[in-house]
Amino acid sequence: ILALSSILLFSQQNYLYIGDKKYPATSDWDFFCQSCDEGGWGTGNNVNVSVAKATSGGYLKLSLPAQGGSMDISGVAMIYLEDGTAIKCSDKGMTDNVDGQSIAIYVFTIQEIAKLKISNIKKIRFNTNMGGFTAENKNSNQTAEEIKALYK
């Protein structure tokens, strides 16, 4: 896993910061991850998710407690939508551990953003150095509505 200490990644007040660039973003959504806490890593059961707007598409931010810096999100992430389609997000090496959070940024194309505007995110399957996990939208977050509003 390549941790980029020179890239600062965090989300604040509906913005996502990547290095010295600022991108408008959705609110942060908590997705429930039953297995995230079953391994005894103390990560809790929530994965923080948001989408940010970029001129050539967008970004997906995933974050969860890094358990003392020992947990890193990496590898492919799969986004499963309520309409039954899926979006495969490739690892671009945009990861970091900031303020006790393991953070990964994935890139969306314009076509993928178009899908996200019309169907809510149902589940996200992602990997860490501790194994693979699934985070579910159990809070009925209206992701499509917020993403659509972000791109107006």
Side-chain angles (χ1 to χ4, degrees):
I1 297 173
L2 176 62
L4 302 174
S5 60
S6 63
I7 295 180
L8 177 63
L9 305 171
F10 63 94
S11 172
Q12 180 182 349
Q13 298 180 19
N14 296 337
Y15 286 98
L16 176 69
Y17 293 86
I18 302 175
D20 63 352
K21 295 188 176 158
K22 176 173 135 179
Y23 300 92
T26 62
S27 60
D28 291 333
W29 305 305
D30 284 329
F31 277 43
F32 181 75
C33 181
Q34 179 65 43
S35 59
C36 287
D37 208 33
E38 289 177 353
W41 303 301
T43 60
N45 291 107
N46 287 322
V47 175
N48 186 264
V49 178
S50 64
V51 172
K53 180 181 178 180
T55 56
S56 60
Y59 296 103
L60 169 71
K61 181 201 70 159
L62 299 178
S63 68
L64 71 157
Q67 190 55 24
S70 63
M71 182 176 278
D72 295 304
I73 302 170
S74 64
V76 170
M78 291 296 299
I79 311 302
Y80 297 98
L81 304 178
E82 285 183 349
D83 69 3
T85 63
I87 298 171
K88 182 178 181 180
C89 300
S90 299
D91 186 348
K92 304 290 185 195
M94 298 171 69
T95 64
D96 209 345
N97 283 308
V98 178
D99 297 331
Q101 295 287 306
S102 177
I103 301 169
I105 304 293
Y106 294 92
V107 178
F108 286 129
T109 65
I110 292 169
Q111 294 81 7
E112 291 166 337
I113 290 294
K115 284 183 174 184
L116 291 165
K117 287 179 183 179
I118 58 173
S119 186
N120 288 322
I121 299 171
K122 184 176 181 180
K123 295 181 182 183
I124 300 173
R125 178 83 178 146
F126 64 97
N127 297 293
T128 73
N129 57 322
M130 306 283 192
F133 300 98
T134 301
E136 297 182 63
N137 186 359
K138 291 210 172 203
N139 295 327
S140 300
N141 296 298
Q142 296 300 304
T143 62
E145 185 178 303
E146 279 197 58
I147 294 167
K148 189 175 182 179
L150 179 66
Y151 281 83
K152 279 189 176 182

